[in-house]
Amino acid sequence: ANKNAAHKKNSQLLTSLDNPDQRIAADCRLFCDTFAEVCVQVVTAPASVFVHTVYSLRKVGIVAPLGIYAFFACGLAINQLLSSKVAAKVAVHQRMEGNFRAAHVWLHTHSLEVGLTRGARAAKSLLVRSLNTALVLQVQIAFRHLLLNASSDFAVYFASVCNYAIVAVAVFAPGSFWTWGASGEIVDPDPSVFAANISEASYYTLTLCSGFSILCNAGVKIGDTRGYELRVRQLIQALEEHREQAHTPAAPEEEPHGVGADPSERRQS
């Protein structure tokens, strides 16, 4: 009875969760790989942003952090929107890929029965339909990755334009509100000092832009990570529920009327 109850619970787990073997073998590994890459980018970028925010403020003025923060806030918002679309597609694609693998294994196992019952055409149609669904989703994910990469590259390429605009404000509007916080003016009567000041100011602003660019590039991996995380979280929740059910004692099954009773009691009933 205990073995039957355990088998019933395992069957319920398999039917309530699609492709648990796919989640354990592939989704967990992909989640760990992409999450590690995202962590490296997300941990290193804020430190660079903080340090060079202070340097650019002291060299150029408040226009540097305000302009760069506003520029990359728009870029990060667009990346966040696009990555959320990628996450949903990645989760569905992994499920469709698992369904295709399961159908392929089933056909390989029951190939003799399929051949004897002349079900090859139906089995082929099922596999082709499952494969096409997975391929269509893969193309959609690739297109969304293209949009994410284009958004990140746009922010990286136009960061130099943002840098020139910020330095121009500091050069042509010295002593204004936009240069508040600067330790000195960039403009200097000595051409060599003037050029050195512009070069140093550009270095700090471009390095600050580089820190934000790392965060933008992380958005490509964040979308995939969120999709894998969804499937892994569903797996963990199902396993937790299964463990709780395993520790819950099963109710004793009632015996049919008269089974195991005394023969005289059966005659009286």
Side-chain angles (χ1 to χ4, degrees):
N2 293 334
K3 293 182 178 180
N4 292 335
H7 178 72
K8 182 178 180 180
K9 291 178 180 179
N10 291 332
S11 300
Q12 290 176 352
L13 173 64
L14 294 176
T15 55
S16 62
L17 195 68
D18 64 277
N19 306 311
D21 54 339
Q22 165 85 5
R23 296 172 186 256
I24 295 173
D27 294 344
C28 291
R29 176 181 55 81
L30 292 172
F31 169 71
C32 292
D33 292 342
T34 54
F35 184 71
E37 295 179 9
V38 169
C39 284
V40 172
Q41 295 173 326
V42 171
V43 169
T44 57
S48 176
V49 168
F50 174 77
V51 171
H52 291 95
T53 295
V54 176
Y55 283 144
S56 62
L57 175 65
R58 297 297 296 166
K59 187 62 182 179
V60 182
I62 198 172
V63 64
L66 283 182
I68 295 173
Y69 275 59
F71 176 77
F72 279 98
C74 297
L76 290 174
I78 295 174
N79 279 11
Q80 173 65 21
L81 178 62
L82 294 175
S83 65
S84 63
K85 302 296 184 181
V86 171
K89 288 296 181 181
V90 167
V92 177
H93 173 261
Q94 289 300 111
R95 178 164 60 87
M96 292 296 102
E97 183 178 339
N99 291 341
F100 172 71
R101 291 182 179 180
H104 188 272
V105 171
W106 180 89
L107 179 60
H108 180 74
T109 305
H110 301 85
S111 57
L112 180 59
E113 292 85 344
V114 172
L116 293 176
T117 57
R118 297 181 180 179
R121 181 175 298 178
K124 179 182 178 181
S125 176
L126 176 64
L127 283 178
V128 169
R129 185 166 60 252
S130 178
L131 177 60
N132 289 337
T133 303
L135 289 177
V136 168
L137 288 170
Q138 183 63 52
V139 172
Q140 293 176 354
I141 292 173
F143 178 72
R144 283 167 171 77
H145 280 168
L146 176 63
L147 295 179
L148 265 174
N149 288 323
S151 175
S152 300
D153 293 341
F154 176 85
V156 173
Y157 294 150
F158 279 84
S160 58
V161 178
C162 182
N163 164 67
Y164 295 144
I166 290 171
V167 175
V169 170
V171 171
F172 293 105
S176 64
F177 165 77
W178 299 110
T179 57
W180 179 87
S183 59
E185 295 184 0
I186 294 180
V187 180
D188 193 271
D190 188 352
S192 61
V193 176
F194 185 28
N197 289 338
I198 292 179
S199 177
E200 187 178 0
S202 297
Y203 170 76
Y204 290 140
T205 54
L206 286 176
T207 310
L208 178 57
C209 292
S210 176
F212 279 106
S213 300
I214 295 175
L215 294 177
C216 289
N217 292 330
V220 180
K221 291 295 182 181
I222 288 176
D224 294 345
T225 305
R226 291 171 62 182
Y228 300 137
E229 180 271 336
L230 175 61
R231 290 181 58 81
V232 173
R233 175 160 47 86
Q234 291 174 349
L235 174 65
I236 294 175
Q237 290 175 352
L239 292 175
E240 290 290 338
E241 294 176 0
H242 180 262
R243 186 179 64 176
E244 292 177 0
Q245 293 176 2
H247 289 289
T248 302
E253 298 181 358
E254 296 183 358
E255 295 183 352
H257 180 70
V259 177
D262 187 74
S264 60
E265 294 180 358
R266 290 202 299 268
R267 286 195 297 270
Q268 293 177 1
S269 61

